[in-house]
């Protein structure tokens, strides 16, 4: 009788440990996703501020900025129908910021960073190892109303 009771405690211990591991993994994963989301929005806000600054400058003004975006960013592009620069983050609706006065051209037309995530990649993300892309943006005011944004990794 005593052995059955010991086995029951042993199995209960394994079940409780498994549940705790799953909960911990889930919490760490959500925390990492929140950090990536914050980094993406912060870099996007900086980009739109830089573009707005260049828009207010004179003809032939140019600036180069390096920004870091996490791999959860699907796209960054200019939407001419909204006169806005838009960012789309994985599993979220697009967020757009209106750029006053200037027309913008992205070259190439959009920044796309998202990559397929494997199980190993999810584990890496949960323990704090995240992938980021360092992107160089060259923002050029070609004439009084036109800005070209060249970008590369």
């Amino acid at each position: 009788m005593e052995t059955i009771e010991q086995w029951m405690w042993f199995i209960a211990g394994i079940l409780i440990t498994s549940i705790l591991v799953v909960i911990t993994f889930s919490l760490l994963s959500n925390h990492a996703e929140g950090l990536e989301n914050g980094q993406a929005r912060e870099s996007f806000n900086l980009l739109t501020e830089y573009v707005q600054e260049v828009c207010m400058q004179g003809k032939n003004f140019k600036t180069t900025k390096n920004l870091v975006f996490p791999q959860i960013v699907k796209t960054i592009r200019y939407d001419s129908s909204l006169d806005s620069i838009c960012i789309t983050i994985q599993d979220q609706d697009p967020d757009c910021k209106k750029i006053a006065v200037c027309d913008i051209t992205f070259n190439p037309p959009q920044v796309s960073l998202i990559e397929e995530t494997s199980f190993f990649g999810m584990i890496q993300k949960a323990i704090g190892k995240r992938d980021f892309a360092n992107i160089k943006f060259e923002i050029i005011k070609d004439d009084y109303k036109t800005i070209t944004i060249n970008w590369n990794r």
Side-chain angles (χ1 to χ4, degrees), residues 40-152:
R41 293 194 183 282
E42 181 181 333
S43 293
F44 177 68
N45 288 336
L46 286 172
L47 174 63
T48 56
E49 287 174 19
Y50 296 145
V51 171
Q52 200 69 273
E53 286 175 18
V54 170
C55 183
M56 298 302 148
Q57 300 298 321
K59 180 179 173 183
N60 296 324
F61 185 82
K62 173 182 168 182
T63 187
T64 302
K65 301 292 182 181
N66 289 313
L67 296 172
V68 176
F69 286 93
Q71 298 291 339
I72 63 167
V73 173
K74 279 180 144 176
T75 60
I76 302 170
R77 61 183 170 69
Y78 181 70
D79 187 331
S80 58
S81 65
L82 300 173
D83 292 328
S84 301
I85 296 178
C86 299
I87 185 171
T88 305
I89 297 173
Q90 183 177 9
D91 300 328
Q92 295 181 19
D93 292 331
D95 182 19
C96 298
K97 298 233 182 211
K98 189 164 182 65
I99 303 298
V101 182
C102 293
D103 296 322
I104 298 170
T105 303
F106 266 85
N107 187 22
Q110 71 180 14
V111 179
S112 184
L113 303 176
I114 199 159
E115 295 177 356
E116 290 297 317
T117 306
S118 64
F119 180 72
F120 180 71
M122 288 180 4
I123 291 173
Q124 293 288 74
K125 197 183 282 190
I127 61 174
K129 294 184 179 180
R130 298 172 302 226
D131 290 331
F132 291 92
N134 188 11
I135 301 175
K136 179 180 174 181
F137 290 92
E138 183 181 55
I139 308 166
I140 306 163
K141 187 163 186 186
D142 302 319
D143 61 35
Y144 293 108
K145 273 194 80 171
T146 307
I147 292 178
T148 302
I149 302 173
N150 299 315
W151 67 272
N152 60 36

